[in-house]
Amino acid sequence: MSVKASLNTLKKMNEKMYPKLSADERSAMVIKTFVNNDEVQREKLVKSCPMVNYSESDHAYTVRIEASRDIVTVFIIQLLEYDKFISIMKILKGLDYKEQGFNVIKFVNEVQAFLLAFETFCEEHVGIASRDMIQAWYGYDERYIKMMEKINNFIDIYESNPDEELKGIWLKKVFLNTWKNRVKVR
């Protein structure tokens, strides 16, 4: 349908037609009003949309569930990134990392701080173990739990002391900041 035909269709509509539009028709027409820069028609379409009352679970509960799922998803994405990097390091084990300008201990400290921050977040702020949090959102597929064990084994090889400052940064700036913004905790 051409822009001119769309404009004519919208202009021919009368007040009785607006409430009868289906959700598909109404949304398509509203999008066309943006294209045509027709604020008057857009307002008529929006204001004539039937109003419906819904019941839902407690909002505070719902946002906490959604936020926990999203935080675990971000955690898993970062975990996959670290796992990939560790796998590459193992493949290139024969190379001298210092010669390549790579600080292994700094990397190990970062990964360790990330894992500890997630663990602290789960236990102290959500009230469940990090392992349970992962399984809650990623089922009983042990892949991510095994990946964490593999990464922890890698960290143990370097016998690094946890970097509490870096852990605090991960905890505060990533996990707690996201949690507080989503659930509006003060």
Side-chain angles (χ1 to χ4, degrees), residues 105-106 108-110 112-114 116 160-170:
I105 299 302
K106 184 177 177 184
V108 168
N109 286 341
E110 179 184 331
Q112 184 180 39
F114 173 73
L116 291 172
S160 171
N161 290 325
D163 183 335
E164 292 298 323
E165 184 179 344
L166 190 54
K167 172 190 165 189
I169 291 170
W170 274 110

Side-chain angles (χ1 to χ4, degrees), residues 71-87:
I71 288 171
V72 171
T73 300
V74 169
F75 171 80
I76 293 295
I77 291 168
Q78 184 62 47
L79 190 71
L80 289 167
E81 189 68 25
Y82 285 144
D83 183 60
K84 176 180 75 175
F85 204 82
I86 289 168
S87 295

Side-chain angles (χ1 to χ4, degrees), residues 34-133:
F34 282 107
V35 172
N36 301 329
N37 200 22
D38 188 346
E39 291 179 33
V40 173
Q41 281 299 100
R42 184 177 325 121
E43 188 175 326
K44 288 179 182 178
L45 287 162
V46 171
K47 284 187 174 183
S48 66
C49 187
M51 300 300 280
V52 180
N53 291 323
Y54 292 98
S55 293
E56 67 175 30
S57 296
D58 176 45
H59 184 71
Y61 155 79
T62 303
V63 296
R64 280 167 174 74
I65 292 297
E66 291 171 356
S68 70
R69 180 199 57 224
D70 294 347
I71 288 171
V72 171
T73 300
V74 169
F75 171 80
I76 293 295
I77 291 168
Q78 184 62 47
L79 190 71
L80 289 167
E81 189 68 25
Y82 285 144
D83 183 60
K84 176 180 75 175
F85 204 82
I86 289 168
S87 295
I88 291 169
M89 287 175 63
K90 287 178 180 177
I91 291 169
L92 301 174
K93 190 176 182 180
L95 295 178
D96 182 6
Y97 295 121
K98 289 182 181 177
E99 212 173 272
Q100 304 297 322
F102 181 73
N103 186 336
V104 176
I105 299 302
K106 184 177 177 184
F107 174 73
V108 168
N109 286 341
E110 179 184 331
V111 175
Q112 184 180 39
F114 173 73
L115 293 175
L116 291 172
F118 181 71
E119 191 174 289
T120 300
F121 167 75
C122 291
E123 291 174 3
E124 294 179 11
H125 300 278
V126 182
I128 63 172
S130 58
R131 179 185 183 107
D132 293 341
M133 182 86 126

